[in-house]
Amino acid sequence: MKGSTELEKKTIIRPVKFDYFQLVCVESDGNGNTKELNFDFIQWMNLMNNIIDIEDRTIRHYGERIRIDEIKIDGESGFGLLHFSRLRESNIPTKTLITKKELEDIGLGDDEYIAEDISALYDEENYVLMLQRNVHSLSPSGVAEYINYFWNDSHPNHYVELRPVMKLDSFNDGFGKDIFRKIVLKTADTPAKVGGVFDKLTTPFGRAFRELEALEGVNIEITVSASRSKENLNFDEVIEALNELKANQALFEKAKISGKDTEESKVEVVDLLDGKVQSVIQFTIPLKKALASNIVQAEMIHEYSALGRDKKREIVENKSKKK
């Protein structure tokens, strides 16, 4: 028992979240017209493998360096495996001792950084990217910016998007309300880069977003609430908007609706996008050690593969229902 207790003190169980994205290339003809195609990410991986010098793979993102450290195809599963790092040079943690109250700088050299990393798995058959989440490393939008930085050199009219794979029944709670009081919508961060993405939306929200695109903001957020004199939003218009939102979920980062089942019931806030397909994997990590990328990638393969937990089946089922 003593040995077991000592072992527990030397490790920690850490849950790590993984999101799934469809890789889509939005191609513009320069006249405001666009078309969407599945993006062949293998081409991008080959492009990056031809950039040998690690410094040439490094770009600036929000003032800090980001890069891809590893690109390969797993020999057994056939999945693509990638490793990204954010080289942090601000908000550096300090160190101390149990017996001291003073804090000390870690003491990084001129060419040393705190590396915040994530891994990714690519399923070529379904154009799906499985992405590790790390609040201190690259966000999905950061990964998309990195991909486009190098791809746009030879394809200036392309913009590659990471669109979350969604559970198609995530809107059911919203449709189930009989009375609507408020809607909040916030765009994903792609509209500023590709004009005309809201052209296919015909509801009042679509018209509003198209007008606001002219400001070239990265994010647009709209809130529509019922007035005091008219306590509820127009039911038919809200249902039409919900149908349009459901068909174009990838355009939005936030979509929440406030409503209730009857006049007497309480108002409930429904997160319409709380239906992303995700995984959470538990890792046992030695204290004061980093989570090794090879361990993460092995678990990602096991989570996604049909020979493991078969998350791939859920992805494919959601994609086929959407068609």
Side-chain angles (χ1 to χ4, degrees):
M1 291 294 293
K2 183 178 179 181
S4 174
T5 302
E6 290 178 353
L7 178 62
E8 289 174 1
K9 290 180 179 178
K10 293 180 181 178
T11 62
I12 187 172
I13 304 296
R14 177 181 160 195
V16 178
K17 184 183 293 185
F18 298 84
D19 288 336
Y20 298 86
F21 299 89
Q22 186 85 33
L23 288 174
V24 177
C25 179
V26 181
E27 184 177 346
S28 172
D29 65 0
N31 295 315
N33 302 311
T34 60
K35 64 178 180 179
E36 297 181 359
L37 302 168
N38 288 323
F39 181 59
D40 184 359
F41 194 51
I42 294 295
Q43 290 189 47
W44 186 86
M45 292 172 64
N46 291 335
L47 169 70
M48 298 306 297
N49 266 328
N50 288 328
I51 303 176
I52 306 301
D53 193 329
I54 193 68
E55 290 190 28
D56 292 336
R57 294 183 180 182
T58 305
I59 69 170
R60 285 277 183 174
H61 175 66
Y62 289 113
E64 294 196 315
R65 293 171 175 84
I66 60 175
R67 72 186 187 195
I68 191 163
D69 308 304
E70 179 185 45
I71 314 160
K72 66 181 181 182
I73 302 295
D74 180 63
E76 278 190 45
S77 67
F79 296 135
L81 296 175
L82 307 97
H83 185 256
F84 297 89
S85 291
R86 170 191 170 207
L87 308 185
R88 188 148 61 97
E89 53 187 325
S90 61
N91 297 322
I92 303 301
T94 57
K95 64 180 180 179
T96 189
L97 298 173
I98 291 291
T99 56
K100 293 177 60 177
K101 63 180 181 180
E102 293 81 14
L103 305 180
E104 298 179 26
D105 286 333
I106 290 179
L108 296 175
D110 291 341
D111 198 33
E112 291 183 322
Y113 301 85
I114 299 295
E116 303 283 3
D117 67 320
I118 55 170
S119 288
L121 176 150
Y122 177 59
D123 171 9
E124 181 181 10
E125 179 183 1
N126 293 290
Y127 304 96
V128 168
L129 191 72
M130 177 184 182
L131 192 64
Q132 177 188 359
R133 300 306 304 271
N134 176 353
V135 67
H136 299 296
S137 189
L138 278 76
S139 65
S141 61
V143 172
E145 181 177 326
Y146 187 87
I147 292 170
N148 282 289
Y149 180 90
F150 291 96
W151 187 250
N152 289 158
D153 274 350
S154 54
H155 302 81
N157 295 327
H158 288 187
Y159 183 77
V160 180
E161 296 182 5
L162 273 62
R163 296 185 176 176
V165 177
M166 308 295 295
K167 297 177 183 176
L168 295 184
D169 58 356
S170 59
F171 273 65
N172 286 352
D173 288 342
F175 281 112
K177 300 301 175 190
D178 291 325
I179 297 169
F180 300 105
R181 301 295 303 277
K182 183 168 71 172
I183 298 180
V184 180
L185 297 178
K186 181 179 180 181
T187 63
D189 60 357
T190 56
K193 298 178 173 63
V194 183
V197 294
F198 295 108
D199 287 348
K200 54 189 173 183
L201 304 185
T202 60
T203 61
F205 288 104
R207 295 193 291 273
F209 281 124
R210 282 196 294 277
E211 291 295 323
L212 292 170
E213 273 187 300
L215 298 176
E216 298 183 354
V218 174
N219 298 110
I220 305 170
E221 184 167 343
I222 294 177
T223 300
V224 179
S225 302
S227 66
R228 290 178 179 267
S229 59
K230 189 179 186 312
E231 294 185 353
N232 305 324
L233 298 176
N234 184 291
F235 180 84
D236 292 334
E237 289 288 344
V238 172
I239 291 298
E240 185 179 352
L242 287 178
N243 280 309
E244 194 165 72
L245 288 170
K246 183 176 181 180
N248 298 278
Q249 295 178 45
L251 297 180
F252 299 94
E253 179 181 300
K254 180 197 296 183
K256 293 185 178 182
I257 191 160
S258 299
K260 50 186 181 177
D261 301 323
T262 66
E263 288 289 356
E264 292 74 28
S265 58
K266 292 183 178 180
V267 174
E268 179 185 1
V269 179
V270 178
D271 187 344
L272 300 173
L273 298 185
D274 189 23
K276 294 180 181 179
V277 178
Q278 296 178 324
S279 294
V280 178
I281 303 175
Q282 305 280 351
F283 291 90
T284 301
I285 310 171
L287 292 177
K288 301 184 181 181
K289 298 290 183 181
L291 178 55
S293 61
N294 63 315
I295 294 175
V296 173
Q297 291 171 6
E299 280 297 316
M300 292 174 76
I301 292 171
H302 183 67
E303 175 74 7
Y304 191 80
S305 172
L307 298 177
R309 301 186 190 99
D310 200 10
K311 195 72 173 183
K312 179 179 178 179
R313 184 199 299 187
E314 181 180 348
I315 300 293
V316 173
E317 285 178 352
N318 277 274
K319 287 178 61 183
S320 62
K321 288 178 186 175
K322 189 172 182 179
K323 294 177 182 177

